[in-house]
Amino acid sequence: MCLAEQPPSFEDDVMGAIAERLGSRESIDGYELDALTVGRRITYDVQANWKLIIENFMECYHCATIHPELTEVLPEFADGYAAQFFVGHGAEFGADVQGFTVDGGEGFDKLPGVDEDHDRRYYAITVRPTVFVNLVPDHVIFHRMFPVSESRTIVECDWLYTREVVESGKDVSRSVELFHRVNEQDFEACERTQPAMSSRAYAHGGVLVPSEHHIGEFHHWLTQRLAD
Ligand SMILES: [Fe+2]
């Protein structure tokens, strides 16, 4: 929800971010987000600035060291692959992985509209400023951030499933547990990074390497808006 008198355009900001990441606006249609419902909601109170949470979400060289369960399911993340660098690329499930669950065991039926190209793949999208969308074949994980202070952010994370899965009372716990652990691991890393954010060495956003060009774009986007 945006309280601005002239809210930004949904088409430009939300669908634009999706097209920028997935290669086309239509790529998200198959997940039929409007037909999904909340199977689990977990709220995290993170002692870190919201921008750190965004930067963490946009890179993956930390994945090999702090996300053991996620890198089992998505082996390419163990190589430090920058998750949101390549347009249209979704990280592929490991060969013996059955589903996007905490132990790689079976998940639920693939969402009806998800095609072969998107099956067995994970896509992460950052919708600036404060939303993350994570797409996997059988559910969608949706983060919203609520900045409270310069060093505290409330993150509300929803796991979205088909109505059939939720209403039939199927056990979503192994499915939820994977990204819940990823969230806890990421937010702890952000909290450990937060104290150094007031260093003068970080005053201009620190040093970025070429594979972080998309994080550089986020810095640019933010400083432009602050200037406006
Ligand atoms: Fe992470």
Side-chain angles (χ1 to χ4, degrees), residues 104-120:
E106 204 178 347
F108 301 105
D109 289 344
K110 141 174 114 59
L111 301 172
V114 172
D115 60 23
E116 285 299 308
D117 288 346
H118 294 84
D119 195 11
R120 297 184 59 76

Side-chain angles (χ1 to χ4, degrees), residues 144-158:
R144 283 167 296 164
M145 292 190 283
F146 302 92
V148 179
S149 76
E150 91 295 341
S151 58
R152 184 178 169 213
T153 308
I154 301 292
V155 184
E156 208 164 76
C157 186
D158 288 344

Side-chain angles (χ1 to χ4, degrees), residues 56-57 59-60 62-63 66-67 70 182-183 185-187 189:
N56 169 278
F57 189 71
E59 56 85 2
C60 200
H62 69 268
C63 292
I66 72 170
H67 296 317
L70 183 67
V182 171
N183 284 338
Q185 291 153 353
D186 277 331
F187 299 155

Side-chain angles (χ1 to χ4, degrees), residues 87-151:
V87 175
H89 175 79
E92 195 169 8
F93 290 9
D96 50 359
V97 166
Q98 292 175 282
F100 197 80
T101 60
V102 70
D103 55 5
E106 204 178 347
F108 301 105
D109 289 344
K110 141 174 114 59
L111 301 172
V114 172
D115 60 23
E116 285 299 308
D117 288 346
H118 294 84
D119 195 11
R120 297 184 59 76
R121 285 183 183 271
Y122 162 83
Y123 297 87
I125 306 160
T126 304
V127 181
R128 294 179 298 245
T130 49
V131 169
F132 303 146
V133 185
N134 305 268
L135 306 172
V136 292
D138 63 339
H139 63 285
V140 172
I141 305 147
F142 191 77
H143 296 78
R144 283 167 296 164
M145 292 190 283
F146 302 92
V148 179
S149 76
E150 91 295 341
S151 58

